Amino acid sequence: MKFLRRTVLFPIFIALVAMSCAAPQTIPPLLCPAPPVPFCKPGTFDKTTIDTTAELHHVQTHIIMLPAPANSNAQDYAIGFIPTSSGTIALITSDRSSESDSGSYGEQRIFSARFLGTTRYGPLQPIQMENVPLPMGTACYCKADQLLYFSAKAKNTDPDDYDLYTAKVEIQDDNITLSDVESLDRINTVGHFDSQPAIDPTGTHLYFVSDRAGGDGGTDIWYSERSSARSGEWSAPQPLPEPVNSPCDEISPFIPSFDPTTLYFASNGHETVGGYDLFKIHIHNGEYSEPENLGKPMNTTADEVFPSALNDTAFFWASNAATSMGGMNLYTITRTHIGPPTPQEQLPPPERIHPEPLREDSIAEAKLGPIEIIAHVTRGADNHPAAGADIYVREDSQDIYRGTIPLTGEIGFKVKRDREYDVGAETADAFFDVRHLDLRGARDSVVHVYLHLPDTLVIRINFPFDDYEHPYEYTIDENGQPSTMTWQRALDLTAHSALASLDKLRELLLIGHTDSLGTDAYNNRLGMQRATFIASELEKRGVPSNIVRIESAGRTEPVLRRPDESDEVFRLRSRRVDFVKIFR
């Protein structure tokens, strides 16, 4: 893998300086420059940030190398993910010669496999490509424009020239085909290493690695912006400012889809355990925090590169540590119960509403006019019609319709097709519900939306590890998957709901819940800290602090477990904050 490029100009410059200083002194001595300081001088980092010992006989954290077929005896550099309606596809960059886990080497390319769990994958298949140069580097999928961004050898004879490309993705039976490959000519530079793309969930900020002129030295992380994922050209690339880039090498940026305010990357600069280490920074209003080393034992004296994550409990990276099979291999971090399991009642999986199959005549009719949305709104534990509740439709955060739910609990309205909408309902004596509708390319003439206004609102705002100040950007839905709603938006709606009830609201109770890992004391404290954070955010939104009460249930009230539900998803669903309106 091409991590970085070294220039030959540096030693030549030193030689010229030495020659000029050794010559007879015909100019003042102080004008003879001193030899330049070595361009890369990383500091030392020796902090253990993740405890892999047993935690009071309850749980133990492990760092493990992924088994075959994700890893092989060849070089396995990076893993990424494509969400689909039927699950998740993993993308693995490797120079193995085929989909087998043999040790033979081929040209670096990307393989696909069905993601079955953090350490379980289906058979690997090389992605099918048209007009894609090899070797091929790492890739990231952008849901906003439905394109795959990747790097590959530029179409010239320079062995160090890599460029960025996009391609349309077609998935059939877990096999991926790339088509309509286009070079990002607005961003690429001739004769330079432009590689390792990462794009934020909105599709408006693209980060990548380059050794072009204008950086801080070595390879740096650069970025480009555009007005939207569906229009607008990429801006002229700019390097990330200090403190992110350094005179050393910064590589392999990554932005989680569920937390676009955090940027992960690898560097052999700053303060490192050794070699390349994994770092993260927080992005706020265009400002970048100081890089934080992820610490030992994730980082070692070897190289750790290409951080990636599917959700807030499935984190991955590549390393050539001594435990690898001969080069770069993929690793993950897991946690295992080593104490008696907590008994959980089994619940059936939630009922899913499947759309009726399309008929040819309805497809033809749908192209002729707008789409009718029929909203079915219920409320309370008995799901009775939410008569009298408010309902609204928003496009780009602007109301385009507002109405009142009739006695039947159903209401219809028409909207333009090929657009995205938020359909929501709210009532003063309960809470709210919102659904995001993506009608781009929809062929139906009628779309049904089901909303429920609960007496007790559950919001799953997730945090990394034991952090309680930096939530992941998107909330988690009832199935343990990242939703389309940011935590800021969820609290905006919650604050609005509370303020609408203020004349008869005695208090708003917040109850923090955690997963089952850790001790009771640890989780009680963590649940209280997270509920306190939510309370402070509601106060910023105008909710009077004197009506807010916080409690922590810790791990004592987990959600009811579903049949065949993985530990990972069960823990995601258990971490939540309950909101309860208590009236006068």
Side-chain angles (χ1 to χ4, degrees), residues 468-527:
Y468 57 90
E469 294 182 327
H470 302 97
Y472 290 118
E473 184 72 3
Y474 291 93
T475 61
I476 300 298
D477 64 20
E478 64 271 16
N479 297 314
Q481 299 299 316
S483 72
T484 58
M485 182 178 292
T486 66
W487 68 266
Q488 295 96 331
R489 178 61 178 153
L491 293 186
D492 288 345
L493 293 171
T494 305
H496 183 273
S497 176
L499 292 171
S501 312
L502 210 54
D503 59 337
K504 52 184 176 181
L505 190 63
R506 180 162 61 88
E507 67 180 15
L508 180 65
L509 174 62
L510 313 184
I511 307 173
H513 299 266
T514 68
D515 60 29
S516 58
L517 297 177
T519 64
D520 286 341
Y522 168 82
N523 283 297
N524 286 338
R525 182 173 65 254
L526 185 60

Side-chain angles (χ1 to χ4, degrees), residues 34 46 48 52 105 116 147 177 211 216 243 255 301 307 370 376 382 401 410 416 427 455 470 473 493 509 521 544 548:
D46 194 37
T48 298
T52 55
Y105 291 74
L116 302 174
L147 293 177
T177 301
D211 64 355
D216 287 297
I255 297 183
T301 55
H376 308 260
D382 59 355
Y401 174 84
E410 297 180 7
K416 296 179 180 179
T427 182
D455 293 325
H470 302 97
E473 184 72 3
L493 293 171
L509 174 62
V548 178

Side-chain angles (χ1 to χ4, degrees), residues 162 203 232 235 332 467 523 539:
Y162 278 69
S235 65
T332 189
D467 193 338
N523 283 297
E539 185 176 355

Side-chain angles (χ1 to χ4, degrees), residues 211-217 220 222 238-240 245:
D211 64 355
R212 67 185 69 190
D216 287 297
D220 291 310
W222 292 64
Q238 299 290 329
L240 287 185
N245 286 324

